[in-house]
Amino acid sequence: MSPSADAAAPVSTSAPPLAPLVAAQLTYLLSHSKLPIRVGQIWSGCRNGRHSDRFTLSIPFCLDYVHWDFMYNALSPKVAPDVVFGPDDEGFQPLVDYAEAGNDASCLARWNYRDPRGLIALVHELRELYIEYHKKQVAKVDDARVTFELNTVLSKEGIEVCMVPSADRPDEVKFAVPLLDVDFDFNKLVPGCPWRLPQKIHLQVIFPISRSSSYSSVPSAPRLKLISTPDLKSLFSVEDVKLPPWSNGMCLAEYLPALEESLNLLVVEASASIGARRRFIEALAPTFGRPIEADPIFCRRATVLSISGVFTFLVHFAIPLQFPKQQPVLTLQSSQHCNAEGTPITSPPINDYPWSPRWDQAEMVERIYDFLADECQNFKKFCSDTITQQK
């Protein structure tokens, strides 16, 4: 698993297209993998080659990414790719270990260059081996608490761990702990959801290493942080979750149940909030007229066209995840006034209008309508003053 001899060829600034067989495998990987894998550089191993035959993949691991180079050979397309791992992983040599053990379980032993599933099988196999490699590395750490945590929570499916070296402080160990049930499917909470990849919430736990074989004193609390997949923020924001306190002497096995119970309730509330936001948008029609634009899935946005005398303007509703506890933010946009750049003039965000989460949706909309009957005159004057100042 080391670089091939021609790996030192310079990367082309305008790389030629990937060799067809290589491109088929990469396309299959990106369209079928349940991991958020990214493609970095693509280049050719030969000077002035007709096709590129190698690329960098960024592969998720322990709430971060590792970057591996996959080196095909366009002149020998039947041969499986070589793989170059990161500079900090010189001890990770899974295929060398396979060869020494006489083990042909690797997908490379059954490599079929015409099968587009070859690369995805290789990436997933190497990632699983990489996870196990780091678990073994962390198990070697001489720290009683880390050893205890490994022995008590590693049985939880999906946990990943790794060392976090640092030049200016003691080394640390990071745990990435998946929360909620492994089979929990956020997509089922949102009809018509566009997410292709599974959505997850993890607890990141970072333990400082004390380098002691026993507890000489009560260890400090680990650093805790909730991290979710980016798309999940459309439904549920982990930044709004208040983590339970970590008591002295507590371990992860004690901490996780209360956190997961709290998250389950918050996720149920987030799902219910979609229905409340949808009913609010539907309630706009009898008073404002049918919205000209609306978010049909998460119901986070809606726009209506309003008229006051001869003044025509748009009202944009930005509906927060915490609706109805938090009220929508309104932005008015003139249909008749533009600034010096030719952009329609808009108001600052408005959220100081009458509001109560206990009102039904119809009353919420009526109160906003009554507020805007006066506010639109202020906005019209604001637009006229802006035009006058530009002259």
Side-chain angles (χ1 to χ4, degrees), residues 150-169:
L150 285 173
N151 292 334
T152 54
V153 300
L154 269 190
S155 58
K156 184 177 176 66
E157 185 174 351
I159 284 186
E160 298 174 12
V161 297
C162 68
M163 298 293 298
V164 184
S166 176
D168 55 356
R169 63 171 182 249

PDB file of all heavy atoms in Angstrom, residues 150-169:
ATOM      1  N   LEU A 150     -13.321   2.541  27.083  1.00  0.00           N
ATOM      2  CA  LEU A 150     -13.258   1.619  25.957  1.00  0.00           C
ATOM      3  C   LEU A 150     -13.954   0.305  26.290  1.00  0.00           C
ATOM      4  O   LEU A 150     -14.697  -0.254  25.463  1.00  0.00           O
ATOM      5  CB  LEU A 150     -11.800   1.346  25.571  1.00  0.00           C
ATOM      6  CG  LEU A 150     -11.059   2.449  24.816  1.00  0.00           C
ATOM      7  CD1 LEU A 150      -9.596   2.078  24.673  1.00  0.00           C
ATOM      8  CD2 LEU A 150     -11.675   2.659  23.439  1.00  0.00           C
ATOM      9  N   ASN A 151     -13.733  -0.196  27.482  1.00  0.00           N
ATOM     10  CA  ASN A 151     -14.282  -1.495  27.863  1.00  0.00           C
ATOM     11  C   ASN A 151     -15.787  -1.457  28.103  1.00  0.00           C
ATOM     12  O   ASN A 151     -16.447  -2.502  28.040  1.00  0.00           O
ATOM     13  CB  ASN A 151     -13.587  -2.015  29.127  1.00  0.00           C
ATOM     14  CG  ASN A 151     -12.140  -2.380  28.878  1.00  0.00           C
ATOM     15  OD1 ASN A 151     -11.755  -2.706  27.756  1.00  0.00           O
ATOM     16  ND2 ASN A 151     -11.313  -2.310  29.915  1.00  0.00           N
ATOM     17  N   THR A 152     -16.328  -0.257  28.354  1.00  0.00           N
ATOM     18  CA  THR A 152     -17.747  -0.187  28.691  1.00  0.00           C
ATOM     19  C   THR A 152     -18.643   0.304  27.552  1.00  0.00           C
ATOM     20  O   THR A 152     -19.822  -0.031  27.523  1.00  0.00           O
ATOM     21  CB  THR A 152     -17.973   0.730  29.910  1.00  0.00           C
ATOM     22  OG1 THR A 152     -17.378   2.009  29.652  1.00  0.00           O
ATOM     23  CG2 THR A 152     -17.366   0.122  31.158  1.00  0.00           C
ATOM     24  N   VAL A 153     -18.108   1.091  26.615  1.00  0.00           N
ATOM     25  CA  VAL A 153     -19.000   1.651  25.585  1.00  0.00           C
ATOM     26  C   VAL A 153     -18.671   1.198  24.165  1.00  0.00           C
ATOM     27  O   VAL A 153     -19.456   1.452  23.249  1.00  0.00           O
ATOM     28  CB  VAL A 153     -19.007   3.204  25.611  1.00  0.00           C
ATOM     29  CG1 VAL A 153     -19.467   3.709  26.952  1.00  0.00           C
ATOM     30  CG2 VAL A 153     -17.647   3.770  25.237  1.00  0.00           C
ATOM     31  N   LEU A 154     -17.536   0.539  23.948  1.00  0.00           N
ATOM     32  CA  LEU A 154     -17.191   0.154  22.579  1.00  0.00           C
ATOM     33  C   LEU A 154     -18.163  -0.859  21.984  1.00  0.00           C
ATOM     34  O   LEU A 154     -18.212  -1.038  20.776  1.00  0.00           O
ATOM     35  CB  LEU A 154     -15.767  -0.406  22.508  1.00  0.00           C
ATOM     36  CG  LEU A 154     -14.659   0.613  22.219  1.00  0.00           C
ATOM     37  CD1 LEU A 154     -13.353  -0.092  21.927  1.00  0.00           C
ATOM     38  CD2 LEU A 154     -15.025   1.535  21.059  1.00  0.00           C
ATOM     39  N   SER A 155     -18.940  -1.507  22.836  1.00  0.00           N
ATOM     40  CA  SER A 155     -19.917  -2.457  22.311  1.00  0.00           C
ATOM     41  C   SER A 155     -21.087  -1.743  21.627  1.00  0.00           C
ATOM     42  O   SER A 155     -21.847  -2.371  20.873  1.00  0.00           O
ATOM     43  CB  SER A 155     -20.458  -3.340  23.441  1.00  0.00           C
ATOM     44  OG  SER A 155     -21.056  -2.541  24.451  1.00  0.00           O
ATOM     45  N   LYS A 156     -21.236  -0.448  21.874  1.00  0.00           N
ATOM     46  CA  LYS A 156     -22.300   0.328  21.215  1.00  0.00           C
ATOM     47  C   LYS A 156     -21.983   0.444  19.739  1.00  0.00           C
ATOM     48  O   LYS A 156     -20.900   0.891  19.352  1.00  0.00           O
ATOM     49  CB  LYS A 156     -22.415   1.718  21.846  1.00  0.00           C
ATOM     50  CG  LYS A 156     -23.562   2.567  21.290  1.00  0.00           C
ATOM     51  CD  LYS A 156     -23.648   3.884  22.024  1.00  0.00           C
ATOM     52  CE  LYS A 156     -24.719   4.789  21.430  1.00  0.00           C
ATOM     53  NZ  LYS A 156     -26.077   4.261  21.610  1.00  0.00           N
ATOM     54  N   GLU A 157     -22.901   0.057  18.910  1.00  0.00           N
ATOM     55  CA  GLU A 157     -22.645  -0.011  17.464  1.00  0.00           C
ATOM     56  C   GLU A 157     -22.348   1.378  16.891  1.00  0.00           C
ATOM     57  O   GLU A 157     -23.016   2.360  17.205  1.00  0.00           O
ATOM     58  CB  GLU A 157     -23.863  -0.597  16.756  1.00  0.00           C
ATOM     59  CG  GLU A 157     -23.655  -0.834  15.266  1.00  0.00           C
ATOM     60  CD  GLU A 157     -24.822  -1.555  14.622  1.00  0.00           C
ATOM     61  OE1 GLU A 157     -25.708  -2.022  15.364  1.00  0.00           O
ATOM     62  OE2 GLU A 157     -24.848  -1.646  13.382  1.00  0.00           O
ATOM     63  N   GLY A 158     -21.327   1.432  16.069  1.00  0.00           N
ATOM     64  CA  GLY A 158     -21.009   2.665  15.350  1.00  0.00           C
ATOM     65  C   GLY A 158     -20.032   3.591  16.020  1.00  0.00           C
ATOM     66  O   GLY A 158     -19.683   4.635  15.454  1.00  0.00           O
ATOM     67  N   ILE A 159     -19.551   3.266  17.213  1.00  0.00           N
ATOM     68  CA  ILE A 159     -18.600   4.152  17.895  1.00  0.00           C
ATOM     69  C   ILE A 159     -17.245   4.127  17.180  1.00  0.00           C
ATOM     70  O   ILE A 159     -16.772   3.074  16.768  1.00  0.00           O
ATOM     71  CB  ILE A 159     -18.424   3.738  19.368  1.00  0.00           C
ATOM     72  CG1 ILE A 159     -19.636   4.172  20.185  1.00  0.00           C
ATOM     73  CG2 ILE A 159     -17.175   4.359  19.976  1.00  0.00           C
ATOM     74  CD1 ILE A 159     -19.500   3.941  21.671  1.00  0.00           C
ATOM     75  N   GLU A 160     -16.653   5.313  17.046  1.00  0.00           N
ATOM     76  CA  GLU A 160     -15.313   5.432  16.487  1.00  0.00           C
ATOM     77  C   GLU A 160     -14.439   6.200  17.476  1.00  0.00           C
ATOM     78  O   GLU A 160     -14.927   7.096  18.172  1.00  0.00           O
ATOM     79  CB  GLU A 160     -15.354   6.140  15.127  1.00  0.00           C
ATOM     80  CG  GLU A 160     -16.173   5.374  14.090  1.00  0.00           C
ATOM     81  CD  GLU A 160     -16.336   6.139  12.779  1.00  0.00           C
ATOM     82  OE1 GLU A 160     -15.628   7.151  12.584  1.00  0.00           O
ATOM     83  OE2 GLU A 160     -17.174   5.712  11.954  1.00  0.00           O
ATOM     84  N   VAL A 161     -13.173   5.844  17.555  1.00  0.00           N
ATOM     85  CA  VAL A 161     -12.242   6.508  18.471  1.00  0.00           C
ATOM     86  C   VAL A 161     -10.931   6.781  17.745  1.00  0.00           C
ATOM     87  O   VAL A 161     -10.579   6.092  16.773  1.00  0.00           O
ATOM     88  CB  VAL A 161     -11.970   5.654  19.737  1.00  0.00           C
ATOM     89  CG1 VAL A 161     -13.247   5.452  20.535  1.00  0.00           C
ATOM     90  CG2 VAL A 161     -11.355   4.312  19.375  1.00  0.00           C
ATOM     91  N   CYS A 162     -10.206   7.772  18.223  1.00  0.00           N
ATOM     92  CA  CYS A 162      -8.886   8.051  17.657  1.00  0.00           C
ATOM     93  C   CYS A 162      -8.089   8.903  18.635  1.00  0.00           C
ATOM     94  O   CYS A 162      -8.651   9.542  19.537  1.00  0.00           O
ATOM     95  CB  CYS A 162      -8.993   8.749  16.301  1.00  0.00           C
ATOM     96  SG  CYS A 162      -9.639  10.432  16.377  1.00  0.00           S
ATOM     97  N   MET A 163      -6.794   8.914  18.454  1.00  0.00           N
ATOM     98  CA  MET A 163      -5.909   9.789  19.214  1.00  0.00           C
ATOM     99  C   MET A 163      -5.966  11.197  18.631  1.00  0.00           C
ATOM    100  O   MET A 163      -6.127  11.372  17.415  1.00  0.00           O
ATOM    101  CB  MET A 163      -4.477   9.274  19.175  1.00  0.00           C
ATOM    102  CG  MET A 163      -4.280   7.897  19.796  1.00  0.00           C
ATOM    103  SD  MET A 163      -4.546   7.923  21.575  1.00  0.00           S
ATOM    104  CE  MET A 163      -3.246   9.056  22.079  1.00  0.00           C
ATOM    105  N   VAL A 164      -5.823  12.204  19.504  1.00  0.00           N
ATOM    106  CA  VAL A 164      -5.755  13.598  19.068  1.00  0.00           C
ATOM    107  C   VAL A 164      -4.434  14.167  19.569  1.00  0.00           C
ATOM    108  O   VAL A 164      -4.354  14.703  20.682  1.00  0.00           O
ATOM    109  CB  VAL A 164      -6.933  14.422  19.618  1.00  0.00           C
ATOM    110  CG1 VAL A 164      -6.889  15.851  19.070  1.00  0.00           C
ATOM    111  CG2 VAL A 164      -8.260  13.771  19.276  1.00  0.00           C
ATOM    112  N   PRO A 165      -3.370  14.035  18.793  1.00  0.00           N
ATOM    113  CA  PRO A 165      -2.076  14.567  19.241  1.00  0.00           C
ATOM    114  C   PRO A 165      -2.079  16.087  19.221  1.00  0.00           C
ATOM    115  O   PRO A 165      -2.769  16.722  18.427  1.00  0.00           O
ATOM    116  CB  PRO A 165      -1.096  13.999  18.209  1.00  0.00           C
ATOM    117  CG  PRO A 165      -1.919  13.749  16.987  1.00  0.00           C
ATOM    118  CD  PRO A 165      -3.290  13.381  17.475  1.00  0.00           C
ATOM    119  N   SER A 166      -1.297  16.674  20.113  1.00  0.00           N
ATOM    120  CA  SER A 166      -1.211  18.133  20.187  1.00  0.00           C
ATOM    121  C   SER A 166       0.200  18.520  20.583  1.00  0.00           C
ATOM    122  O   SER A 166       0.827  17.865  21.416  1.00  0.00           O
ATOM    123  CB  SER A 166      -2.221  18.681  21.197  1.00  0.00           C
ATOM    124  OG  SER A 166      -2.074  20.074  21.329  1.00  0.00           O
ATOM    125  N   ALA A 167       0.683  19.602  19.976  1.00  0.00           N
ATOM    126  CA  ALA A 167       2.047  20.058  20.258  1.00  0.00           C
ATOM    127  C   ALA A 167       2.117  20.900  21.527  1.00  0.00           C
ATOM    128  O   ALA A 167       3.165  20.971  22.170  1.00  0.00           O
ATOM    129  CB  ALA A 167       2.568  20.874  19.069  1.00  0.00           C
ATOM    130  N   ASP A 168       0.998  21.547  21.900  1.00  0.00           N
ATOM    131  CA  ASP A 168       1.055  22.482  23.031  1.00  0.00           C
ATOM    132  C   ASP A 168       0.258  22.028  24.248  1.00  0.00           C
ATOM    133  O   ASP A 168       0.092  22.784  25.196  1.00  0.00           O
ATOM    134  CB  ASP A 168       0.559  23.864  22.591  1.00  0.00           C
ATOM    135  CG  ASP A 168      -0.828  23.811  21.968  1.00  0.00           C
ATOM    136  OD1 ASP A 168      -1.369  22.699  21.811  1.00  0.00           O
ATOM    137  OD2 ASP A 168      -1.364  24.889  21.649  1.00  0.00           O
ATOM    138  N   ARG A 169      -0.262  20.788  24.234  1.00  0.00           N
ATOM    139  CA  ARG A 169      -0.963  20.269  25.401  1.00  0.00           C
ATOM    140  C   ARG A 169      -0.903  18.745  25.359  1.00  0.00           C
ATOM    141  O   ARG A 169      -0.537  18.160  24.339  1.00  0.00           O
ATOM    142  CB  ARG A 169      -2.410  20.761  25.438  1.00  0.00           C
ATOM    143  CG  ARG A 169      -3.290  20.296  24.278  1.00  0.00           C
ATOM    144  CD  ARG A 169      -4.747  20.667  24.536  1.00  0.00           C
ATOM    145  NE  ARG A 169      -5.598  20.182  23.464  1.00  0.00           N
ATOM    146  CZ  ARG A 169      -6.220  20.955  22.571  1.00  0.00           C
ATOM    147  NH1 ARG A 169      -6.076  22.263  22.640  1.00  0.00           N
ATOM    148  NH2 ARG A 169      -6.972  20.431  21.629  1.00  0.00           N
TER     149      ARG A 169
END
